[in-house]
Amino acid sequence: MQISRNISLQPYNTFGIEALAENFAVIETIEDIATISKLTKQYQQWHLLGGGSNILFTDNLSGLTLYNQVKGIFIVQEDETTVLIKAFAGEKWNDLVQFCLQHNFAGVENLSLIPGSVGAAPIQNIGAYGVELKDVLEYVEAYHLDKHETEIFSNKACRFGYRDSIFKQQYKNRLLIVAITLRLNKIPKLVIGYGSLQQQLEKMGIVKPTIQQVAEAVNIIRTNKLPDPAKIGNAGSFFKNPTISKFRLHVLSEQYADIPGFALDEMNFKISAAWLIEQAGWKGKREGNVGCNPLQPLVIVNYGGATGKEIYNFSEAIIQSVKQKFGIELEREVNIW
Ligand code: FAD
Ligand code: NAP
């Protein structure tokens, strides 16, 4: 593997932020992974980069930045009802979804069109329209950058939560995800209860959708609502949806009758962060080159030329404003580097 110095990361992040990687190496083959130990020993700090669709660069990156491009998608095992699919980390997530749709393997159709790499999918347990990676993930193969050994993490060992996993916590920047294996169904169990998905399928006049039609409906909603990073820099939802207690929701709903809450269990509710941000007056607001998306206020956009620090400060102003109005502290979903 070759190390390049002072590489511009602008093409490597969907916000389109300019930042430099002091040392940059592309992992192209499985054999490269075996030689990583020689490299990582030389550096104090490592950064693991995928498609850069969930990262905000606020500074240059010191140490070593590893860009995993190892590709391959294989059927590992199958019987009449289920199939195990292994995909290497450097594949695009949506190419894996396309592979599954082409082979009629069900389970990831709701996760269609999510940008980024396969290797990053377990990091925040990607999710959309009522499905999360944890619902289909069998195991993750990862390489310990400090111990220099490979470990297999079962679904349970990944400690998946809402936009969370062990890789985002305890093993943050210490484990290189090499491949994931999914368990998919040959007999679909569709998840189409999400309001916007149901409405889109109705609009398309579809009562009993195929997995391909579910993916198509998801693609239509996403394309209409989300800014295309190729045209306007963004990293999807900037904040997580906060969780509050049933009591707190009750108190808030006395003042804000239409506050959207989704029950997580008997005592806790998920609140729409987009709604909180809109109520705090940020929807469509622009300050210089940074703005809050007019269609989906959870998305912060770079209208061109914004720095990572400007975007970070804009996000901080949103957090403070929502806190002041509702007493709820929003947490960033995007990784700040
Ligand atoms: P990066 O942004 O490169 O990295 C994200 C994190 O993963 C970093 O901490 C990085 O160190 C780590 N990482 C990356 N690769 C590896 C690896 N091989 N080993 C170890 N660590 C690694 N997310 C959702 O959950 N649901 C959505 O519906 C969704 N929609 C989006 C829509 C848009 C328009 C955009 C721009 C983003 C959206 N996202 C969504 C966020 C993002 O696409 C996902 O979080 C995605 O999984 C990030 O992948 P990436 O390869 O770009 O990761
Ligand atoms: P939406 O449909 O307008 O819904 C707003 C919020 O309410 C969502 O965040 C969703 O939470 C929640 N919600 C809606 N219906 C729900 C239901 N039936 N049960 C439980 N929760 C419900 O959301 P959107 O912004 O258009 O996004 C649609 C989906 O794509 C969401 O799942 C969202 O997470 C995902 N998405 C994620 C990103 C990202 O970068 N992370 C970007 C775009 C879209 P959840 O977010 O928990 O699902």
Side-chain angles (χ1 to χ4, degrees):
M1 255 185 310
Q2 280 203 333
I3 308 258
S4 308
R5 310 230 180 255
N6 295 324
I7 291 295
S8 165
L9 293 171
Q10 199 165 31
Y12 297 96
N13 73 103
T14 58
F15 257 126
I17 301 295
E18 182 54 281
L20 293 179
E22 195 184 9
N23 302 285
F24 187 84
V26 183
I27 306 168
E28 277 166 317
T29 63
I30 282 291
E31 290 72 39
D32 283 344
I33 294 173
T35 64
I36 279 181
S37 60
K38 284 188 201 133
L39 268 186
T40 51
K41 277 177 190 156
Q42 296 169 36
Y43 298 94
Q44 307 279 311
Q45 235 187 328
W46 313 303
H47 299 279
L48 308 173
L49 187 61
S53 64
N54 203 20
I55 293 174
L56 176 67
F57 295 125
T58 57
D59 210 341
N60 294 330
L61 299 187
S62 52
L64 176 66
T65 299
L66 287 168
Y67 183 48
N68 191 347
Q69 283 293 284
V70 181
K71 293 190 195 292
I73 301 176
F74 309 94
I75 296 172
V76 179
Q77 194 185 310
E78 62 184 315
D79 60 25
E80 276 169 23
T81 56
T82 59
V83 58
L84 292 183
I85 304 287
K86 175 169 172 165
F88 280 94
E91 287 286 348
K92 286 195 173 120
W93 170 260
N94 199 46
D95 288 349
L96 173 58
V97 172
Q98 289 306 315
F99 176 93
C100 298
L101 293 173
Q102 278 155 17
H103 287 80
N104 268 320
F105 299 151
V108 288
E109 52 281 0
N110 295 42
L111 304 179
S112 178
L113 223 57
I114 297 182
S117 60
V118 160
I123 306 287
Q124 72 157 7
N125 178 25
I126 55 167
Y129 304 97
V131 173
E132 292 179 319
L133 182 76
K134 74 167 172 48
D135 302 328
V136 291
L137 185 117
E138 190 74 0
Y139 55 85
V140 169
E141 289 166 58
Y143 182 81
H144 284 271
L145 294 169
D146 37 15
K147 287 196 278 177
H148 306 297
E149 59 188 35
T150 301
E151 186 173 339
I152 308 262
F153 291 80
S154 66
N155 184 311
K156 195 171 169 221
C158 293
R159 295 202 206 142
F160 288 125
Y162 166 62
R163 304 287 186 268
D164 201 17
S165 73
I166 198 167
F167 312 111
K168 205 173 171 179
Q169 302 294 337
Q170 182 180 339
Y171 289 124
K172 189 174 177 173
N173 274 331
R174 313 227 62 84
L175 272 181
L176 175 76
I177 292 183
V178 175
I180 67 173
T181 297
L182 306 181
R183 180 178 291 278
L184 300 169
N185 293 309
K186 291 187 177 174
I187 303 155
K189 295 172 193 152
L190 297 181
V191 180
I192 49 174
Y194 246 60
S196 52
L197 181 53
Q198 237 169 3
Q199 285 157 19
Q200 182 57 41
L201 287 166
E202 274 167 29
K203 238 193 234 176
M204 291 160 73
I206 296 166
V207 182
K208 275 189 167 181
T210 60
I211 56 170
Q212 292 78 8
Q213 287 170 326
V214 172
E216 192 191 338
V218 166
N219 292 352
I220 292 172
I221 309 169
R222 296 184 75 100
T223 314
N224 287 337
K225 194 167 177 183
L226 293 167
D228 176 359
K231 295 181 186 141
I232 300 178
N234 75 90
S237 305
F238 203 93
F239 305 99
K240 292 184 184 182
N241 289 317
T243 299
I244 63 171
S245 69
K246 191 176 179 179
F247 173 73
R248 190 88 184 280
L249 177 61
H250 177 72
V251 172
L252 280 170
S253 58
E254 282 177 352
Q255 203 179 344
Y256 306 98
D258 57 344
I259 184 168
F262 300 93
L264 294 174
D265 52 47
E266 272 189 24
M267 298 313 293
N268 296 296
F269 280 74
K270 177 175 73 179
I271 306 297
S272 161
W275 185 89
L276 296 171
I277 294 167
E278 182 174 355
Q279 295 298 310
W282 287 90
K283 189 173 177 176
K285 206 168 175 177
R286 179 172 175 165
E287 284 177 5
N289 296 324
V290 188
C292 182
N293 186 258
L295 291 178
Q296 168 47 294
L298 253 190
V299 179
I300 296 182
V301 293
N302 174 8
Y303 284 110
T307 65
K309 283 189 178 122
E310 283 168 344
I311 293 174
Y312 182 86
N313 291 342
F314 189 86
S315 74
E316 189 57 33
I318 293 179
I319 291 174
Q320 292 312 325
S321 158
V322 166
K323 194 173 170 186
Q324 208 172 11
K325 190 169 172 71
F326 297 101
I328 295 174
E329 185 145 3
L330 292 179
E331 193 188 328
R332 291 179 185 86
E333 179 182 306
V334 169
N335 298 279
I336 311 296
W337 281 11

